[in-house]
Amino acid sequence: MGFPYQPHDREQAVLSRYFGDAGARSLDGWRQRGGYRALESALGMEPAAIVSIVKDSGLRGRGGAGFPTGMKWSFMKPGDGKPHYLCCNADESEPGTFKDREIMRWTPHALIEGCAIGAYAIGAETCFVYIRGEFTEPLRVMEAALRETYAAGILGSNAMGTGKRVDIYIHKGAGAYICGEETAMMNSIEGRRGNPRIKPPFPAVAGLFGQPTTINNVETLAAVPHILNEGAAWYKGFCLSNPKSTGTKLFSVCGNVARPGNYEVVMGFPFRDFLYDLCGGPVAGRSFKAVIPGGSSVPIQTMPEAEATLMDYEGFVAQGSMLGSGGVIVFDDAQCMVKHIGRLARFYAHESCAQCTQCREGTAWVTKIMERIEAGGGTMRDLDTLLELSENMTGKTICVLSDSCAAPVVSGIQKFRHEFEAHIAGKGCPLRATVAA
Amino acid sequence: MSADEPGTARETSPSAHGNTARGNGSQGASGEYQPVFVGPVRDELDRIIARYPVKMAALLPALWQVQEARGWVSEHSMAEVAQVLDLTPAYVKGVVTFYTMYHQHPVGRYFVQVCTTSPCGACGADDTVAAFLRHTGCADLGATSEDGKFTVIEVECLGACGFATPVMINEEFLESVTAEKVPDILAQLR
Ligand SMILES: Cc1cc2nc3c(=O)[nH]c(=O)nc-3n(C[C@H](O)[C@H](O)[C@H](O)COP(=O)(O)O)c2cc1C
Ligand code: SF4
Ligand code: FES
């Protein structure tokens, strides 16, 4: 539901069903709502059987890349004699994204249950939940929920009385977007600077503490108990368009929209209806200009592209962007694209870990040039320089933060070139005069 | 900005904190460094260390413990953490400087962080920042107000973009803070 608003009748509330319901936060409350049945049955199954159900459900990673979860889990070979680890990615720092925060603050036990099932399925006895340090409320709620879970014997060396060990610990981040990248996160847990690692080796071979490791997003793991309870076919049935995209997806909506918030819809839902019906359209007197639909790292969409999109992994690609993390950022006609793209570039320049030359230098240069254009000191040659820099920043670095900085810049110049040109020709922002407020 | 001055001089200068629990703990009456990891804090660290196969993995949690106890992470504290976890002070400093949430110098009693990344920027975050600067009397971003009470900084996405503009004041996370609400919020703190 679009918390704090009432759920819209076209939403499909699975993960968000108990958002806003404080009773769901406690262990008793969660049990009354069907909690921990899935874990109980999972602990009685062969790990491979769980992996196979998750594979059949079609669940794909909700953290950004959309990798099939069951397949990721199948890379972990139980019984290889090594300790395995599960990391739950709760670093949620991608501008536009705020769904994992809601899952943790309203339904902490959904995540704990998902983590426990995931850990057991990949042969891990330990799961670290990496929560960004700024999430003070989710941290408090998750810590309280974990304490209850341990006290009830659900976790620990004899999880639910089965003799199996499942430990879940919170590792609190300390302010670094890059630690959401999976290998940077592993370094951060190990007590290092959060520099991404060169792959291969992939985490499933040598990850956290050099051992086989799987990293999954909060929303991915929180979906798992539902899949075990209701079955793979049930989950797979949530599909309005491409059969490769199944289930429900939480979209966080922010920016210039009448009703910002989280909305959960079935994969393939029409983006036009989503924006105008569920989210209430633009604020009064304005019209939409552009959308960044999957967190700030994906290409910008024009309104014709957005309105033609079916909301799934393939649907966003077909309309010039990506589903990414599901963080929908909306800009209306009072907003300056040059300013906002420049501010995003500054975000990436600030967050670059600075290991790779193309990223360290590229994000800084792009920011400088964007800010120059916005201030009215740009030239037409700057646009070519930006595209050239972006080209050099794409596909050439250890992680894709560098590519992420280039995506809004390149798509911005392609799709909103007139705004860049107007800044250059008019030596400043054409909107500033008209919309001072 | 004086608050950014490097070096160890600040270690022995009395902190500007009005709040003794957060501010003054690192120096005893004699000016000697008082260790953080004694008694219950040390016990807590030992419990944390036990979660990981290597001691070094307790570094981020240990630094959080320091910041909780002292309000910031001084060079002395980095040296103590290094000693407790069998690391070198230089290594610890390298890690501390990577993460933006560890304060390397004392900050105001109320540390105000305002998100100004684009989604919030499109919803008036710049006005919110300006209002905090104006009403706290902070001369600039990052500078502590004369009374030592406030430090205001801009931060990147706080992961609450639908509730623009989110603001953190110490451990408190506020949502939908518009410029108009700032005087009331500050009045409640004073
Ligand atoms: C720079 C960068 C930042 C990222 N930040 C996050 C994040 O905050 N949360 C997240 O779940 N995934 C993030 N990812 C993606 C993770 O690396 C990883 O793909 C994901 O957590 C895997 O989980 P999933 O398969 O369940 O999606 C980020 C990736 C990059 C390159
Ligand atoms: S691309 Fe940027 S953030 Fe990623 S590893 Fe290289 S320098 Fe670091
Ligand atoms: S952009 Fe401000 S909280 Fe995300």
Side-chain angles (χ1 to χ4, degrees), chain A residues 61-65 67 72 89 91-94 100 177-178 180-182 215-217 220 399-401:
Chain A
R62 304 301 195 221
F67 195 85
K72 193 186 258 192
N89 193 339
D91 195 47
E92 190 161 66
S93 317
E94 168 94 353
D100 300 341
Y177 165 68
I178 192 58
E181 195 279 340
E182 53 189 21
I215 295 99
N216 277 124
N217 171 258
T220 313
C399 86
V400 295
L401 182 140

Side-chain angles (χ1 to χ4, degrees), chain B residues 72-165:
Chain B
W72 64 298
V73 184
S74 68
E75 302 248 353
H76 270 134
S77 297
M78 292 184 212
E80 188 195 351
V81 169
Q83 200 236 329
V84 176
L85 295 179
D86 300 330
L87 302 165
T88 66
Y91 179 83
V92 173
K93 187 166 189 178
V95 173
V96 169
T97 53
F98 187 87
Y99 297 94
T100 57
M101 290 183 81
Y102 297 128
H103 304 313
Q104 292 164 64
H105 52 74
V107 295
R109 177 166 166 194
Y110 297 111
F111 188 68
V112 181
Q113 309 183 59
V114 187
C115 171
T116 57
T117 310
S118 306
C120 289
C123 300
D126 294 345
D127 300 336
T128 305
V129 173
F132 271 110
L133 285 177
R134 194 164 60 246
H135 294 290
T136 55
C138 291
D140 203 350
L141 292 170
T144 300
S145 59
E146 298 246 311
D147 59 7
K149 276 199 177 162
F150 296 99
T151 309
V152 180
I153 65 163
E154 287 184 7
V155 290
E156 300 294 350
C157 181
L158 284 171
C161 332
F163 309 95
T165 296

Side-chain angles (χ1 to χ4, degrees), chain A residues 3-4 85 92-98 101-102 105 126 128 130 132-137 140 169-176 178-179 184 187-195 209 253-256 260-262 329-331 335 339-341 343-344 346-347 350-351 353 437, chain B residues 47-48 50-61 63-65 68 87 90-102 113-124 126-127 141 154-164 166 168 170-175:
Chain A
F3 178 80
Y85 293 101
E92 190 161 66
S93 317
E94 168 94 353
T97 318
F98 50 97
R101 173 174 182 259
E102 296 301 295
R105 68 205 278 238
T126 309
F128 293 103
Y130 190 100
R132 65 178 299 185
E134 294 88 344
F135 274 178
T136 48
E137 188 194 352
R140 275 195 298 267
Y169 304 116
I170 290 170
H171 195 95
K172 178 179 170 184
I178 192 58
C179 289
N187 276 339
S188 185
I189 296 174
E190 289 180 15
R192 301 174 198 275
R193 293 167 72 93
N195 291 328
F209 305 114
V253 185
C254 66
N256 311 120
N262 279 294
I329 309 168
V330 187
F331 297 106
Q335 300 299 322
K339 176 184 168 187
H340 291 308
I341 294 167
R343 184 61 186 81
L344 284 180
R346 196 169 112 203
F347 168 82
H350 182 260
E351 302 298 334
C353 85
Chain B
R47 276 194 295 276
I48 293 170
R51 299 173 182 171
Y52 305 95
V54 294
K55 231 177 174 179
M56 189 171 96
L59 179 51
L60 266 65
L63 291 169
W64 275 121
Q65 286 182 290
E68 235 159 73
L87 302 165
Y91 179 83
V92 173
K93 187 166 189 178
V95 173
V96 169
T97 53
F98 187 87
Y99 297 94
T100 57
M101 290 183 81
Y102 297 128
Q113 309 183 59
V114 187
C115 171
T116 57
T117 310
S118 306
C120 289
C123 300
D126 294 345
D127 300 336
L141 292 170
E154 287 184 7
V155 290
E156 300 294 350
C157 181
L158 284 171
C161 332
F163 309 95
M168 281 187 79
N170 298 343
E171 290 288 291
E172 246 4 83
F173 196 106
L174 310 175
E175 296 174 349

Side-chain angles (χ1 to χ4, degrees), chain A residues 178 195-196 351-357 359-360 397-403:
Chain A
I178 192 58
N195 291 328
E351 302 298 334
S352 167
C353 85
Q355 284 189 103
C356 317
T357 313
C359 177
R360 182 184 61 241
T397 49
I398 295 176
C399 86
V400 295
L401 182 140
S402 181
D403 310 51

